[in-house]
Amino acid sequence: MLDKLGQTLKSGINKISNAIFLDKKLIDGIIKDIQKSLIEADVNIELVFALSQKIKKLAYDETIKGIDKKEQLVKLIHDEILIIIGGSKKELKLQKKSSIMFLGLYGSGKTTSIAKLGFYYAKRGRKVALLGLDTQRPAAMDQLEQLATKIKLPAFVNKTEKDPLKIIKQYETELKKYDLILIDTAGRDGLNKELIKEISSLNKALKPDYRILVMPADIGQTAKTQANEFQKALSIDGVIITRMDGTSKAGGALTACAETSAPVYFIGVGEQIHEIETFDPESFIQRLLGMGDLQALLEHVKSATDEKQTKRIEERLKEGKFTLLDLYSQLEQMNKLGSIDKMLGMIPGMSAAKVPKEVLVKQEAKMKHWKYAIASMTEDEIENPEVLEKQTSRIARIAKGSGTTTTEIRELLKQYKMLKEMMGMQSGLAEGNIDPKMMQKMAKKFKGKMKL
Ligand SMILES: Nc1nc2c(ncn2[C@@H]2O[C@H](COP(=O)(O)OP(=O)(O)OP(=O)(O)O)[C@@H](O)[C@H]2O)c(=O)[nH]1
Ligand SMILES: [Mg+2]
């Protein structure tokens, strides 16, 4: 059931969570994938386009950065898809005594859904009866009867009568004993005059509490025209979408119903009697994304971000490499106090030299400015900060772009250089070339220089 769309959305969210940079290439790639899979799921192209625009607008918004942007993007994707498939859950609220008439074209799944719902409501304590009014298809009455026997419910049918109104009359008194009557009607190839006339007269004679249109998911976006046509012929109260299990076009049917404001009450998800579910857009998306509710999704973004960045730093340390990008990754998580402590703690020798809290508080303001400065750099400048020292006009540009001063940027570069030097020593240490005692001494010296 929309497996491909689910996979694409999952992969998009993972890409956002794991990204160090939400750059244009990454965002455009994710949008392209989502577009492709939504279109494959037969979602209206205009809806797809509108969603892409919203993602782009947020992703390209320079004022939102880092983890905030990641969270907002994931929330946007979740919320927008929720809206296009129907928003909040709509429930079919039955009275103590209710009757439901099922409508739909040939083979849409009316009779099967009636049996499924009969079983569903009987299990929930309702006294259910099935009423067969399909006098068109020769075997229709037999089918309803067989299904009813299977689920041990009474079916009121007449295998010889051709006028459904007469069948209604025949069972009028008998049906009063039941508190939920599910009414099977005949289909046609299309909603022609004959079918409109027939269902209108049944509607008048039965006055059912609900008129439910049954449509198979594989008709995709056509569901919109069909729902509108039935709505015009006789007001419908909601929809059941069947065969959700056997098609990749279900996105079309669901979004079409949301567009026409026809509430989808149930979805058919297989041929078996129990394979019907109430339709809840929120839990449908949860299943699609396979990650629980929005809160769980956002937690996933957070932890993936943390994990990815810690791993990256560790790898860089192992390689003896350290770029401004690593510093940036670290600074991005600097919302919490003590992160620099943690970073220094990763360097042997520095772990012993704990940094006092009040010093860290002072450092925090400075960090913020560095973060802005780094965000204004090109990727190349971040990977190879040496270019900044060679071309000082770049430093002026960055200061201007980030609302910081050239002095602050120079200080950042100095700190970076020092850290990098330490990294070099650390890899030397790993190879056993440096005396650990010597290293500790050096670390203390650096710590003084770092003006923490
Ligand atoms: N896989 C799957 N098959 C379904 C589902 N619902 C119905 N079907 C199948 O669709 C076919 C048509 O179902 P019916 O219930 O006979 O459809 P109908 O609307 O009553 O058809 P007519 O009486 O001919 O107008 C049957 O083979 C059902 O088993 C579903 O949710 N999943
Ligand atoms: Mg039928």
Side-chain angles (χ1 to χ4, degrees):
M1 200 165 36
L2 292 179
D3 293 342
K4 187 112 183 283
L5 177 61
Q7 274 163 21
T8 309
L9 292 174
K10 259 182 264 181
S11 128
I13 286 168
N14 277 331
K15 278 182 193 162
I16 293 172
S17 310
N18 291 332
I20 303 271
F21 274 109
L22 288 172
D23 58 22
K24 193 170 176 302
K25 206 170 130 208
L26 179 93
I27 293 294
D28 289 351
I30 293 170
I31 292 177
K32 239 194 212 135
D33 289 346
I34 293 181
Q35 277 178 339
K36 197 166 154 254
S37 59
L38 282 171
I39 290 168
E40 273 172 14
D42 200 39
V43 175
N44 179 336
I45 192 95
E46 279 170 35
L47 290 177
V48 177
F49 185 69
L51 174 64
S52 314
Q53 288 306 102
K54 281 183 187 163
I55 299 177
K56 260 186 205 164
K57 189 163 173 265
L58 173 59
Y60 296 168
D61 186 339
E62 296 273 335
T63 62
I64 312 162
K65 293 188 196 299
I67 186 106
D68 287 343
K69 184 174 276 181
K70 287 181 174 187
E71 286 189 335
Q72 288 188 33
L73 271 174
V74 169
K75 186 173 181 317
L76 178 87
I77 294 171
H78 171 279
D79 291 354
E80 289 296 321
I81 293 192
L82 181 68
I83 289 168
I84 65 172
I85 66 162
S88 58
K89 184 178 180 178
K90 277 103 189 167
E91 263 176 289
L92 183 63
K93 291 202 178 74
L94 298 182
Q95 312 297 320
K96 260 211 160 111
K97 272 194 178 284
S98 289
S99 55
I100 310 173
M101 181 163 85
F102 293 80
L103 312 160
L105 301 183
Y106 275 144
S108 59
K110 296 178 292 298
T111 312
T112 314
S113 300
I114 285 172
K116 286 176 175 178
L117 284 182
F119 182 68
Y120 176 91
Y121 282 116
K123 258 200 320 201
R124 285 161 179 77
R126 300 245 172 195
K127 200 173 171 206
V128 186
L130 314 184
L131 173 63
L133 299 181
D134 181 356
T135 55
Q136 282 288 315
R137 203 161 52 81
M141 297 289 174
D142 288 324
Q143 185 195 3
L144 190 69
E145 206 169 40
Q146 277 162 20
L147 286 167
T149 312
K150 209 164 140 190
I151 53 176
K152 299 188 176 65
L153 287 179
F156 295 96
V157 299
N158 186 324
K159 294 179 191 175
T160 50
E161 181 55 62
K162 284 290 154 212
D163 182 358
L165 290 174
K166 287 197 177 143
I167 306 178
I168 296 175
K169 273 248 146 14
Q170 180 187 349
Y171 293 119
E172 209 172 9
T173 334
E174 188 73 15
L175 286 170
K176 289 207 167 85
K177 294 182 195 154
Y178 296 87
D179 54 31
L180 179 62
I181 301 154
L182 305 176
I183 304 150
D184 193 21
T185 65
R188 296 292 190 285
D189 282 332
L191 185 58
N192 55 24
K193 279 196 185 122
E194 192 187 306
L195 181 57
I196 294 178
K197 200 172 151 224
E198 181 174 318
I199 57 179
S200 303
S201 72
L202 293 180
N203 188 38
K204 232 166 111 187
L206 286 159
K207 293 189 189 60
D209 298 302
Y210 299 99
R211 285 146 294 260
I212 303 276
L213 175 62
V214 181
M215 294 189 285
D218 47 36
I219 64 170
Q221 279 180 53
T222 319
K224 191 172 166 183
T225 333
Q226 212 177 101
N228 280 333
E229 280 177 2
F230 270 89
Q231 186 69 35
K232 236 192 277 165
L234 132 165
S235 92
I236 54 166
D237 299 283
V239 171
I240 294 179
I241 298 182
T242 62
R243 298 210 284 267
M244 286 288 291
D245 51 310
T247 178
S248 58
K249 286 171 83 180
L254 288 176
T255 53
C257 289
E259 272 189 280
T260 50
S261 307
V264 177
Y265 290 128
F266 291 94
I267 50 175
V269 295
E271 288 194 64
Q272 301 304 313
I273 211 81
H274 63 274
E275 286 176 315
I276 194 156
E277 296 173 3
T278 55
F279 180 62
D280 175 8
E282 176 68 47
S283 63
F284 188 79
I285 287 195
Q286 282 176 29
R287 208 191 303 173
L288 216 56
L289 300 179
M291 290 184 206
D293 62 4
L294 182 63
Q295 207 46 48
L297 211 58
L298 296 181
E299 285 301 320
H300 168 78
V301 175
K302 256 196 216 127
S303 63
T305 301
D306 278 358
E307 223 173 80
K308 182 93 186 168
Q309 298 192 349
T310 310
K311 223 176 177 172
R312 192 186 159 91
I313 300 261
E314 272 169 8
E315 267 164 26
R316 292 296 185 136
L317 286 172
K318 246 189 249 155
E319 289 167 15
K321 269 193 222 150
F322 192 76
T323 73
L324 266 189
L325 187 60
D326 304 309
L327 194 56
Y328 180 94
S329 315
Q330 205 57 27
L331 294 183
E332 271 214 304
Q333 298 178 69
M334 287 278 172
N335 298 331
K336 28 186 201 281
L337 200 66
S339 297
I340 191 160
D341 219 10
K342 205 168 125 197
M343 181 170 79
L344 292 176
M346 287 169 137
I347 307 163
M350 283 306 271
S351 50
K354 271 264 172 201
V355 188
K357 273 253 145 61
E358 58 276 15
V359 180
L360 282 174
V361 176
K362 233 171 82 192
Q363 186 72 4
E364 216 178 13
K366 208 191 286 176
M367 285 288 190
K368 229 185 218 163
H369 279 207
W370 287 352
K371 204 171 143 178
Y372 297 151
I374 294 174
S376 278
M377 292 179 191
T378 64
E379 228 172 296
D380 180 48
E381 288 165 347
I382 292 170
E383 287 282 354
N384 306 295
E386 289 74 19
V387 299
L388 294 175
E389 280 167 30
K390 283 183 205 136
Q391 276 176 274
T392 47
S393 61
R394 288 183 185 237
I395 296 183
R397 189 209 79 226
I398 296 161
K400 211 169 152 212
S402 59
T404 58
T405 63
T406 52
T407 320
E408 282 174 308
I409 296 170
R410 280 182 208 287
E411 197 187 339
L412 166 68
L413 291 173
K414 219 165 104 192
Q415 306 274 307
Y416 157 74
K417 250 175 121 175
M418 263 189 269
L419 273 170
K420 199 174 169 185
E421 253 179 80
M422 280 200 282
M423 300 302 135
M425 285 199 305
Q426 195 246 343
S427 63
L429 182 74
E431 284 157 24
N433 297 335
I434 297 177
D435 171 17
K437 274 208 182 119
M438 176 70 183
M439 174 69 194
Q440 269 190 12
K441 238 184 184 171
M442 287 294 285
K444 269 192 192 143
K445 193 178 121 205
F446 272 121
K447 201 192 130 220
K449 261 208 207 161
M450 280 180 82
K451 287 190 268 172
L452 282 167

